[in-house]
Amino acid sequence: MVLLYMKQEYVSSHEKILVKNEQGKDIYLISGKWGRVGDKLSLYSIDGTLLVEVKQTVLSLFPKFDIYIQGKKAGSVTKHRNLRNVYFKVTPLDWMVTGDFYNHDYTVRCKGQLIMQMTKAYTSFGDYYTLLIPEAQNAPICLCLALIVDNLTLTRLPDTARKRVIRVIQPIYSIRKALI
């Protein structure tokens, strides 16, 4: 089992990202740009070996990303929506990503078996994404998948989530205005 940490501040700003293990040791480096067709994201081991590349191939409400391992296409990540929720599929790996994306609490499963669990951890050193990955060989793809999901979730916040944020801000503003 592997436990990895990515600092949210770096993920959100699309800077180079160092991924740490439980002991705080840097083990992966992620660089590149994502969010537009043709953009590429690269994951390296800390010794500089390229492990995974992800390229965005379709830009739409339901974008598509292709995953390459050692230059060979290993799969594709696509966003989907049913009547109630958004979810992601990784084909042909048959992975399904579901959960509470807006609070960064979701799982990746393959036919019921846990592939990855991601949660957000709040520490005095900043906010981190915590990835629990039962099988170490899945870690590189899981890291890239977490970045894709984070980008698609944060940049496309639905109207209902925006309304919740506005409702919280308005009462605070009203109270503050009354005190002045």
Side-chain angles (χ1 to χ4, degrees):
M1 180 165 48
V2 178
L3 192 58
L4 302 173
Y5 299 93
M6 292 189 292
K7 192 163 187 172
Q8 181 192 6
E9 174 184 343
Y10 300 131
V11 173
S12 300
S13 64
H14 294 213
E15 294 181 17
K16 290 182 179 174
I17 303 164
L18 283 171
V19 180
K20 299 180 180 295
N21 64 9
E22 283 182 272
Q23 292 78 35
K25 182 179 174 188
D26 297 335
I27 55 171
Y28 296 109
L29 172 69
I30 303 171
S31 68
K33 292 171 42 175
W34 54 96
R36 296 187 176 129
V37 172
D39 282 356
K40 179 170 80 169
L41 175 63
S42 302
L43 177 99
Y44 299 89
S45 64
I46 205 65
D47 68 6
T49 305
L50 178 64
L51 300 175
V52 178
E53 282 187 310
V54 177
K55 297 177 185 174
Q56 185 164 359
T57 55
V58 175
L59 181 64
S60 70
L61 290 174
F62 302 102
K64 180 180 176 184
F65 297 82
D66 290 335
I67 301 168
Y68 296 88
I69 298 175
Q70 297 178 346
K72 294 181 184 177
K73 186 174 174 183
S76 296
V77 179
T78 51
K79 182 179 178 180
H80 299 271
R81 179 181 264 305
N82 61 21
L83 292 174
R84 298 179 59 203
N85 298 314
V86 170
Y87 62 97
F88 297 84
K89 281 184 172 181
V90 183
T91 55
L93 299 175
D94 203 22
W95 292 3
M96 183 80 70
V97 186
T98 58
D100 183 354
F101 298 110
Y102 303 105
N103 289 309
H104 310 284
D105 185 12
Y106 59 87
T107 59
V108 179
R109 295 186 182 277
C110 179
K111 299 176 184 168
Q113 181 181 352
L114 182 66
I115 303 297
M116 177 185 82
Q117 181 175 6
M118 181 167 145
T119 56
K120 189 169 179 181
Y122 303 94
T123 70
S124 58
F125 302 110
D127 298 346
Y128 285 84
Y129 295 139
T130 304
L131 287 75
L132 174 69
I133 305 166
E135 297 182 30
Q137 73 268 15
N138 292 330
I141 293 176
C142 287
L143 285 164
C144 293
L145 184 58
L147 291 175
I148 291 167
V149 170
D150 181 74
N151 181 64
L152 293 177
T153 302
L154 292 179
T155 59
R156 292 174 178 84
L157 203 60
D159 288 339
T160 53
R162 279 192 220 123
K163 287 177 185 172
R164 269 187 261 141
V165 170
I166 290 169
R167 279 191 212 122
V168 171
I169 293 171
Q170 285 175 337
I172 293 170
Y173 178 74
S174 299
I175 292 168
R176 190 172 181 206
K177 191 175 179 182
L179 294 174
I180 294 176

